[in-house]
Amino acid sequence: MKKIGLVGGISWTSTLDYFKYINEGINQRLGGLNSAECLIYSLNFSDVQDKGWINSFDLIYNACTNLVASNVDAIVLGANTAHLFADEIQSKIDIPIIHIAEATAKAIKEEKLSKVGLLGTKFTMEMDFYKDKLKESNIEPLIPLEKKDIEDIQHIVKNELGKGVVNKESKLKFIRYANELINRGAEGIILGCTEIPMLISQNNFDFPVFDTTKIHVENIIDFALNS
C-alpha cells in the first residue's frame, strides 16, 4: 500500500471526512482490519485566514515538504481552494499531487456533462486555477452571477462550516444557489468546497451533484492500492 500525505486543517472539519472516507474505502476494498497508511499535517486554519489564501503558499508548501520528508508517496491537499498552489508545488516536488479538480473533471465527463454549476469559496469560484482544470476537459463552469451571493457563500463556508456549524437557513440558501445555476443551463452542480457536503448532498436534488471530497477520496484510494 502506498503512503498518503494529507495536508489538513483547512478546515479540520473536512479533514475528519477525508480521514474517515479514506480508511473506510481502504477497508471496503481489502477487508479485515486493513486501513490506510496516512500521515496528516494539520495546519492552523487561523494562520491561513490571517495571511489570506492568496498569501498562504509558504504555509501549504511547508506542510507538503514536511510530508515529503516523511517519505509519503503522494500529496493530498484537503481543500479545493488549496489547489490554488497545486501546480506550483507540483513543480517543486518529486511525488504526485492527487488533484481534486482533475478528479472532479473526470467524474463529470463520465456522466457525459459539459456544463456544470460550481459552488465553493469565492477564490475557487472567481479565480481561474480550478475552472481552468474543468475547461481543459471541455467542461464549462457556471458560478453565481450576484457578487452578494458569492460573498454570502464565502461567509457561510468560512464562519459556519469551517467551525462545524450547520445552519438550516444556510442550507436553504445553498439549495437556492444550486437551483439558480441549473436554471441558467447547468446540467449538474459541483460541491467545490470540502465543507459544503455538511449542508447539501445528492439527496437534496434530482440532478447530478459532484461531492468533490468523495470523488477525491476515490482517486486517493485508487492510488494507494495501485501496485
Side-chain angles (χ1 to χ4, degrees), residues 190-209:
I190 299 171
L191 307 186
C193 174
T194 50
E195 286 84 18
I196 292 176
M198 295 168 62
L199 275 184
I200 58 175
S201 69
Q202 183 66 70
N203 293 333
N204 300 115
F205 306 102
D206 58 5
F207 47 79
V209 171

Side-chain angles (χ1 to χ4, degrees), residues 161-204:
L161 302 182
K163 299 177 181 178
V165 175
V166 177
N167 184 301
K168 182 178 179 180
E169 181 180 345
S170 297
K171 177 174 182 172
L172 294 175
K173 287 182 179 180
F174 267 74
I175 290 173
R176 174 168 63 83
Y177 297 141
N179 283 315
E180 286 174 353
L181 290 169
I182 293 295
N183 291 336
R184 286 172 47 207
E187 302 164 300
I189 297 293
I190 299 171
L191 307 186
C193 174
T194 50
E195 286 84 18
I196 292 176
M198 295 168 62
L199 275 184
I200 58 175
S201 69
Q202 183 66 70
N203 293 333
N204 300 115

Side-chain angles (χ1 to χ4, degrees), residues 50-199:
D50 289 346
K51 281 179 169 286
W53 270 110
I54 302 298
N55 301 313
S56 293
F57 173 82
D58 288 345
L59 288 173
I60 307 297
Y61 181 61
N62 178 65
C64 291
T65 56
N66 272 272
L67 290 167
V68 170
S70 298
N71 296 316
V72 299
D73 296 300
I75 295 292
V76 171
L77 303 175
N80 285 269
T81 308
H83 286 72
L84 167 64
F85 308 116
D87 288 346
E88 185 175 358
I89 294 172
Q90 184 65 86
S91 72
K92 296 176 182 293
I93 63 175
D94 295 327
I95 61 173
I97 293 176
I98 303 173
H99 201 295
I100 195 169
E102 292 175 355
T104 300
K106 180 182 176 183
I108 293 167
K109 294 305 290 184
E110 287 174 354
E111 294 294 322
K112 297 181 171 56
L113 307 186
S114 60
K115 185 182 292 188
V116 293
L118 173 61
L119 297 175
T121 66
K122 64 182 295 183
F123 308 99
T124 298
M125 290 188 287
E126 292 183 336
M127 297 179 72
D128 292 331
F129 70 94
Y130 199 94
K131 293 184 288 187
D132 282 350
K133 292 293 184 183
L134 300 175
K135 291 174 182 177
E136 287 172 10
S137 295
N138 297 314
I139 298 166
E140 179 184 351
L142 299 178
I143 65 170
L145 292 173
E146 298 292 334
K147 183 71 173 178
K148 63 179 178 61
D149 291 341
I150 290 175
E151 293 295 338
D152 195 30
I153 290 168
Q154 175 69 13
H155 174 82
I156 291 168
V157 168
K158 177 180 175 181
N159 296 295
E160 295 179 16
L161 302 182
K163 299 177 181 178
V165 175
V166 177
N167 184 301
K168 182 178 179 180
E169 181 180 345
S170 297
K171 177 174 182 172
L172 294 175
K173 287 182 179 180
F174 267 74
I175 290 173
R176 174 168 63 83
Y177 297 141
N179 283 315
E180 286 174 353
L181 290 169
I182 293 295
N183 291 336
R184 286 172 47 207
E187 302 164 300
I189 297 293
I190 299 171
L191 307 186
C193 174
T194 50
E195 286 84 18
I196 292 176
M198 295 168 62
L199 275 184

Side-chain angles (χ1 to χ4, degrees), residues 3-12 14-23 37-43 60 63-64 66-68 72-79 83 95 98 194 213 216-217 220:
K3 189 186 301 181
I4 301 300
L6 172 62
V7 179
I10 43 180
S11 66
W12 66 264
S14 60
T15 304
L16 287 175
D17 286 338
Y18 269 97
F19 189 68
K20 174 182 170 66
Y21 296 153
I22 291 170
N23 281 285
E37 280 204 66
C38 178
L39 296 179
I40 300 175
Y41 190 113
S42 189
L43 291 162
I60 307 297
C64 291
N66 272 272
L67 290 167
V68 170
V72 299
D73 296 300
I75 295 292
V76 171
L77 303 175
H83 286 72
I95 61 173
I98 303 173
T194 50
T213 307
H216 203 193
V217 164
I220 294 162

